[in-house]
Amino acid sequence: MRKTSFARPLSTLALALTLAAGGAQAAIKLSDPIPVGPQVTVGKLPNGLTYYIQKNARPEKKLELRLVVKAGSILEDEDQRGLAHLLEHMAFNGSTHFKKWELISYLQSIGVKFGADLNAYTSFDETVYMLPIPTDRPENVDKGFLVLEDWAHGLTLDDADIDKERGIVLEEARSGKGAGERMNKQLLPKMYNGSRYASRLPIGDETVLKTFKPSAVQRFYKDWYRPDLMAVVMVGDIEPARAEQLIKSHFSALANPAPSRPRAYAPIPARSATEALVITDKEASGNSVLIRYPVRPAHDHVSFADYRNKLLDSLFGAMLGQRLQDLTQQAKPPFIGAGSALSRMTPRYQSYSAGATLGQGGAAPAIAALVQENERARKFGFSSVELERAKKDMLRGYERIYSEREKSNSSSFVAEYTRNFLEGEEIPGIENEYHYARELVPGISLAEVNRYAAATIPVDTAKLVVYLGSDKPNDAAPTPKPAELLAWTDAAARAKIAPRQEAALAARLMEQPPSAGSIVSETMDKALGTTTLTLSNGVKVILKPTDFANDQVLLSSSRPGGLTQFGKDDVAAARYANAVVASMGVAGLSPNDVQKVLAGKAAHAWVDFGQYSDNVGASAGKDDIETMLQMLYLRLTGTRRDPALYQSFIGKEVEGARNVMAQPQAVFGDAITTALYGDSPWVSRAPHPEDFTKLDLDRSIGFYRQRFASARGMTFIMVGSFDVAAVKPLLATYLASLPTPELPLSAIDVGLRPVKGVVRKAVYSGSEPKSVVALSFTGPATYSKEENLRFQALLEVMNIRITDVLREQLALIYSGGVSGSISRIPYEHYSIGANLPTGPEKVDQVLVATFKEIASLKEHGPAPADLEKVKQNWLQVQRRAMRENSYWLSQLQSAVTYNTDPAAILTLEQRIGAVTADDIKQAAARYFNLDNYVQVVLYPEKRS
Ligand SMILES: [Zn+2]
């Protein structure tokens, strides 16, 4: 086994594992059932309703509630196709204790943000309602249970309201239309092999949605929303005894209908003959192939043998996935990306499949590679080196979740219990799972994994081979015919396969560390808990150790620079320089080899050009900080030149860009950019194939080195679970040693400005009856922290109005809204973008309604209640953010970039409180300038 000098924590872990496997721990008996973990109480009421209760401290003062209904679109009768989903919408439209509008408004008033389908979803076999409740006030919890109870058996389902919801759901159906949906219509009946699943897509049937009778919705509710098909999940800030009491008082009275319709699981017939399918669409973004093998039953995870099997499958998947990824790292790869695994299709079925995104060679080499790589694994298995790597990564993964066990968010536990109810996934808890993994993984032998591969990878079975793609394929790879797909699959299966040769790899990222610099000064900020170091090369480091997570370290640096440092003739190429360099790896290692050398470690580092900044980022687990700094050091001090990988990168990008402009959304985006900025080279646009064929390997490396070969002016900010004294020597070694030759360090204003005046444009693209209304408001601004809050509050209030009026009252849209920012570099200005998808016949109404809301905000300001909703939500978000490393990192970064006092983080709540309705009214007048905006509307292409 390879050993690296940076593997200290892992080798300690490996030692512990050996001991455990040697019998120091109580041995797991494979026939024993997996217990339910001690962290959760699972119970059932006499009426059959299941409940899960867990007290959890993160986020603070928050209770996550879920109503999980084991009923979805698969249970719809013919006249109900689409109504399981429409019923889910109706849950927010009136019930015993909440009149129409009241529920959403109440939830907003306690800080719960309401989005398109943000608070519920409907699938084939389930409908899930989500309710995060802030527990500051005890009555919130009581009311939360009332909401849940109403959803379970108290919906009003008023005929007129149901009729009104039709329009919104039809808008939602419209938003899903396009190439993907058209292709799915052909694919799904074949994929589900004639099963009911193919005709029960949750979005439903448009004719049914237009013509159904309200009684059909009411019937679905009566038949399927019943206690024996429901679970209530409660995780967060609540005493379990109180939770149990609330469950009993709110849900004991629910009764199952008598007689009950049987809750059947729709069968998926096994495929009996091999079939090939070619599906093309003129708006398809790229080409792919999919090989799907017959369905097999999926079992609940009951015993430790099941658990061990799950670990085996996961190791197998990781190793096969790595092999497929390795195939992409050559000048002419067989595909751009690929995957192959056993995956769950429905609660009762799983299926083995292999799929690939096609590169310039088209389907033939991809099919050959997919089939042969599977066959190679089936016949010869894997190597012990591959298995060791996969085990290390797996155990490190378990270790990281285990070490965060006290700091995990309630929502992640909720997801587990939901899966337990719906799919029978085991819930022993992470302490137990970590123990199982440590005991079971070391004992999984290569022979066993190879037996598993041989038994799992299908051979000689009936399969479905599918080509999905554009109707304009490249010249080298015309659209295949079904017979060709079958012939290629057969030929690949017959080809002679050799065992794989494992290439020797470097043992470590760096042979030896660079010669260290030193720390020349150190200051501390007690209020913020930060330490600032100045290093011997002039580079600065701000350290903020936290206990927000146990195993997370984040790092960033951003200094003036970026794309505008390059001339207008070079900027197009410079835009891709980082991606080109990253595609070739670091030091002597390709990107895949880096992953392998770092097996069992969590460490990443990347660099990136902003428009006006040079950005560096990195992340690591607490034991992998040195590896992270090495990665960073290597990225900044050297580049790896690999013409084969460069060619692979170019091929991939050209192929990816080839059909971009066949997509209406890309055409639309490009039209907006052009309307705002003309043909300025300084704005990024949808990529075109020529962008990449014009690139040059050495020129790309040159652009990269021009900025990143010097660390001058960089201030690194590091936040997370580390000890300041312990990281100092590492910082002296890897950051104080970075070269810092002179380079220009001020942002360059290249004169990029949006168009002035009112511009209106129409664009025609796409064959579906879909439109999008885009409005862009831009102009000068005067930045302050207070002004920025007023600006953002204006946008949030506007979004509440858009949802209330354009969606709920007028049914003009399903989703959409405004967003924007105030920028300070290279000059102070703001921009606001509105994006409102709708039908072509509703465009004028959407425009009228939107401008009416703008006018109303300017004249009257917001309703005080709406502003209060925004503030409550912000306070919720802020409370959570203050305990997150990523938030601190971004705030400290912003303080460095703009040279402001980072202590402002500590007083945000006061500034939120200070925003008034009158502030918003005045902000509306400042920012919605009707003499200066760009309006672009997308319409379907004109039929000739
Ligand atoms: Zn919906």
Side-chain angles (χ1 to χ4, degrees):
M1 202 174 96
R2 287 171 304 108
K3 255 191 148 179
T4 77
S5 62
F6 310 117
R8 278 180 315 262
L10 261 177
S11 41
T12 321
L13 180 67
L15 185 67
L17 290 170
T18 324
L19 289 174
Q25 293 260 18
I28 288 170
K29 245 168 85 194
L30 292 183
S31 55
D32 281 353
I34 307 169
V36 169
Q39 79 286 356
V40 58
T41 306
V42 186
K44 211 172 220 188
L45 298 179
N47 60 15
L49 183 134
T50 307
Y51 58 87
Y52 300 80
I53 302 168
Q54 182 184 344
K55 186 177 172 166
N56 186 54
R58 264 181 83 107
E60 295 169 88
K61 296 185 192 163
K62 191 90 169 244
L63 174 63
E64 289 286 348
L65 295 175
R66 298 288 182 279
L67 176 72
V68 185
V69 188
K70 219 181 255 184
S73 57
I74 199 72
L75 298 175
E76 292 163 350
D77 297 329
E78 286 295 303
D79 67 335
Q80 292 175 320
R81 283 171 296 155
L83 301 193
H85 168 235
L86 187 132
L87 174 58
E88 171 231 297
H89 281 226
M90 292 306 297
F92 301 89
N93 274 345
S95 60
T96 312
H97 300 93
F98 299 89
K99 284 202 276 297
K100 192 170 163 69
W101 315 117
E102 268 184 19
L103 178 57
I104 296 176
S105 192
Y106 165 69
L107 294 176
Q108 286 172 333
S109 77
I110 60 169
V112 179
K113 204 166 173 173
F114 188 78
D117 270 282
L118 204 70
N119 301 60
Y121 74 85
T122 308
S123 182
F124 285 115
D125 282 287
E126 81 244 34
T127 308
V128 179
Y129 297 90
M130 295 164 250
L131 191 54
I133 292 282
T135 56
D136 318 58
R137 283 171 300 188
E139 65 267 26
N140 287 355
V141 175
D142 291 302
K143 236 173 169 174
F145 274 84
L146 212 52
V147 174
L148 238 57
E149 184 193 334
D150 273 11
W151 283 341
H153 75 157
L155 295 189
T156 311
L157 302 181
D158 175 79
D159 285 10
D161 291 338
I162 291 177
D163 266 332
K164 195 156 202 183
E165 201 63 31
R166 255 183 236 273
I168 297 171
V169 169
L170 282 164
E171 279 307 317
E172 186 176 353
R174 186 200 305 275
S175 73
K177 282 181 192 295
E181 176 247 11
R182 291 191 295 263
M183 293 166 92
N184 263 336
K185 265 191 189 144
Q186 297 180 59
L187 173 62
L188 294 181
K190 296 288 184 185
M191 207 167 95
Y192 287 110
N193 201 20
S195 161
R196 188 181 174 91
Y197 279 97
S199 58
R200 286 297 181 277
L201 282 181
I203 195 64
D205 178 275
E206 228 171 283
T207 313
V208 172
L209 286 173
K210 282 178 181 152
T211 59
F212 73 86
K213 294 195 170 57
S215 61
V217 180
Q218 290 144 1
R219 193 174 79 240
F220 191 92
Y221 190 52
K222 192 166 136 275
D223 284 344
W224 303 115
Y225 277 52
R226 56 195 215 212
D228 65 345
L229 294 179
M230 281 182 188
V232 174
V233 184
M234 298 147 276
V235 181
D237 179 20
I238 193 164
E239 286 307 321
R242 173 160 153 70
E244 208 154 353
Q245 185 200 330
L246 283 164
I247 276 286
K248 284 182 180 152
S249 67
H250 282 279
F251 293 92
S252 293
L254 271 69
N256 289 297
S260 295
R261 291 180 67 174
R263 198 302 184 205
Y265 281 84
I268 302 178
R271 186 172 302 284
S272 54
T274 291
E275 223 180 324
L277 198 61
V278 172
I279 305 174
T280 59
D281 193 286
K282 66 175 177 172
E283 292 170 20
S285 57
N287 307 326
S288 61
V289 290
L290 174 69
I291 306 174
R292 202 167 254 283
Y293 296 90
V295 289
R296 40 184 116 176
H299 296 293
D300 287 2
H301 293 154
V302 178
S303 69
F304 281 106
D306 296 330
Y307 195 85
R308 195 168 187 281
N309 224 38
K310 176 173 140 169
L311 296 174
L312 255 173
D313 182 66
S314 181
L315 290 168
F316 160 73
M319 290 186 284
L320 185 58
Q322 182 67 60
R323 284 187 174 187
L324 291 170
Q325 204 183 323
D326 283 350
L327 290 177
T328 65
Q329 305 234 311
Q330 46 186 305
K332 284 188 184 300
F335 40 62
I336 288 175
S340 189
L342 190 60
S343 60
R344 208 179 260 262
M345 290 177 80
T346 76
R348 299 288 162 99
Y349 290 101
Q350 52 186 348
S351 151
Y352 196 83
S353 64
T357 306
L358 303 184
Q360 294 186 305
I367 288 177
L370 286 175
V371 172
Q372 287 171 21
E373 220 43 58
N374 266 299
E375 182 60 9
R376 198 184 327 273
R378 193 185 69 82
K379 225 170 168 171
F380 302 108
F382 298 91
S383 72
S384 56
V385 177
E386 288 172 290
L387 180 60
E388 283 317 305
R389 267 197 308 257
K391 283 182 175 181
K392 273 189 190 176
D393 279 333
M394 173 181 266
L395 286 169
R396 181 73 173 108
Y398 271 100
E399 188 192 49
R400 292 199 82 184
I401 304 172
Y402 173 77
S403 57
E404 303 294 8
R405 67 194 177 285
E406 306 289 341
K407 306 205 164 158
S408 303
N409 281 325
S410 296
S411 54
S412 65
F413 294 109
V414 163
E416 269 185 64
Y417 304 141
T418 304
R419 287 196 300 273
N420 175 267
F421 181 64
L422 295 170
E423 298 178 2
E425 184 181 300
E426 70 288 343
I427 46 169
I430 185 59
E431 301 213 14
N432 278 331
E433 285 205 53
Y434 183 52
H435 163 61
Y436 305 158
R438 281 170 31 132
E439 187 167 332
L440 295 172
V441 171
I444 294 174
S445 70
L446 184 63
E448 196 181 356
V449 170
N450 290 344
R451 273 199 305 279
Y452 180 84
T456 303
I457 298 170
V459 64
D460 287 337
T461 56
K463 51 195 159 294
L464 177 66
V465 186
V466 190
Y467 175 91
L468 294 152
S470 159
D471 65 351
K472 296 176 286 295
N474 67 31
D475 299 336
T479 304
K481 298 188 171 44
E484 289 176 305
L485 294 179
L486 293 178
W488 293 333
T489 312
D490 282 349
R494 282 195 312 271
K496 201 164 159 43
I497 310 280
R500 185 181 136 109
Q501 300 300 319
E502 188 69 25
L505 270 185
R508 54 185 69 90
L509 214 45
M510 283 173 105
E511 279 309 316
Q512 63 184 53
S515 61
S518 61
I519 296 168
V520 294
S521 79
E522 176 172 343
T523 57
M524 274 181 72
D525 182 321
K526 282 245 165 62
L528 281 170
T530 56
T531 301
T532 302
L533 309 176
T534 304
L535 308 180
S536 49
N537 57 352
V539 164
K540 286 190 172 166
V541 187
I542 298 173
L543 299 169
K544 163 83 183 165
T546 70
D547 60 358
F548 306 151
N550 291 328
D551 199 4
Q552 183 189 51
V553 176
L554 304 177
L555 181 143
S556 87
S557 160
S558 179
R559 75 175 172 202
L563 291 169
T564 43
Q565 300 291 323
F566 301 92
K568 67 176 167 37
D569 298 327
D570 287 338
V571 65
R575 206 174 283 287
Y576 298 105
N578 302 317
V580 167
V581 168
S583 77
M584 297 186 289
V586 290
L589 299 164
S590 73
N592 281 6
D593 289 348
V594 169
Q595 265 181 34
K596 292 175 189 171
V597 167
L598 298 187
K601 288 178 182 295
H604 305 274
W606 58 92
V607 303
D608 170 46
F609 285 134
Q611 184 84 337
Y612 302 100
S613 59
D614 304 329
N615 306 322
V616 176
S619 69
K622 70 176 186 322
D623 294 330
D624 302 321
I625 297 173
E626 180 164 13
T627 307
M628 171 185 88
L629 292 170
Q630 289 180 342
M631 283 289 293
L632 196 59
Y633 181 88
L634 292 171
R635 289 217 185 278
L636 293 178
T637 54
T639 48
R640 180 169 183 270
R641 193 179 187 287
D642 186 329
L645 285 180
Y646 173 74
Q647 225 190 312
S648 168
F649 170 84
I650 298 296
K652 179 175 141 187
E653 297 299 320
V654 166
E655 192 58 21
R658 206 162 46 79
N659 286 322
V660 165
M661 294 314 275
Q663 296 165 70
Q665 275 301 332
V667 173
F668 183 50
D670 222 49
I672 296 171
T673 307
T674 305
L676 278 165
Y677 298 107
D679 59 357
S680 168
W682 301 106
V683 286
S684 78
R685 289 167 186 280
H688 289 256
E690 316 82 80
D691 297 349
F692 302 99
T693 47
K694 279 191 282 195
L695 295 183
D696 173 85
L697 170 52
D698 292 304
R699 206 165 148 237
S700 297
I701 289 180
F703 289 142
Y704 181 97
R705 305 263 325 136
Q706 186 179 328
R707 296 302 303 172
F708 290 110
S710 173
R712 181 171 289 256
M714 286 188 184
T715 297
F716 292 94
I717 301 159
M718 193 160 131
V719 180
S721 44
F722 61 85
D723 176 73
V724 171
V727 296
K728 277 193 205 166
L730 298 177
L731 300 172
T733 303
Y734 297 104
L735 298 185
S737 58
L738 287 169
T740 50
E742 289 285 349
L743 82 169
L745 284 178
S746 47
I748 297 177
D749 185 351
V750 290
L752 180 65
R753 298 291 184 277
V755 68
K756 286 213 161 58
V758 176
V759 176
R760 294 195 188 88
K761 287 229 160 91
V763 201
Y764 300 85
S765 179
S767 48
E768 296 289 348
K770 291 173 77 161
S771 273
V772 185
V773 173
L775 297 170
S776 308
F777 293 88
T778 55
T782 307
Y783 182 92
S784 70
K785 288 187 290 293
E786 292 74 16
E787 182 61 10
N788 192 44
L789 271 187
R790 292 189 281 264
F791 177 80
Q792 290 300 336
L794 167 69
L795 301 181
E796 297 272 356
V797 165
M798 183 68 190
N799 280 331
I800 291 179
R801 298 301 301 155
I802 287 173
T803 304
D804 279 2
V805 178
L806 275 75
R807 175 179 149 129
E808 297 295 333
Q809 290 177 29
L810 303 173
L812 293 174
I813 62 168
Y814 161 66
S815 64
V818 296
S819 61
S821 60
I822 300 183
S823 306
R824 284 170 269 178
I825 294 174
Y827 70 110
E828 291 188 319
H829 63 284
Y830 75 94
S831 63
I832 298 174
N835 190 285
L836 302 157
T838 187
E841 74 284 5
K842 296 181 179 176
V843 165
D844 293 341
Q845 287 168 273
V846 165
L847 283 166
V848 168
T850 306
F851 281 106
K852 200 175 149 197
E853 288 311 314
I854 289 174
S856 162
L857 275 175
K858 286 171 134 177
E859 200 183 328
H860 310 293
D866 282 354
L867 178 58
E868 196 49 36
K869 289 169 184 174
V870 171
K871 289 184 179 183
Q872 282 303 321
N873 176 255
W874 279 358
L875 291 173
Q876 294 290 325
V877 169
Q878 173 66 5
R879 180 189 294 160
R880 188 168 164 171
M882 285 300 281
R883 306 281 305 159
E884 277 172 6
N885 290 324
S886 56
Y887 177 75
W888 276 87
L889 187 73
S890 71
Q891 294 300 307
L892 291 170
Q893 181 63 68
S894 148
V896 169
T897 300
Y898 302 108
N899 195 21
T900 54
D901 183 2
I905 305 171
L906 307 173
T907 50
L908 179 64
E909 291 202 9
Q910 289 143 38
R911 286 194 299 284
I912 291 175
V915 178
T916 66
D918 196 51
D919 287 341
I920 307 295
K921 184 178 158 184
Q922 291 177 34
R926 272 196 297 285
Y927 297 115
F928 286 120
N929 178 357
L930 299 186
D931 298 325
N932 200 48
Y933 71 91
V934 170
Q935 169 186 317
V936 184
V937 179
L938 173 70
Y939 291 99
E941 60 207 39
K942 291 175 181 160
R943 307 268 162 99
S944 45

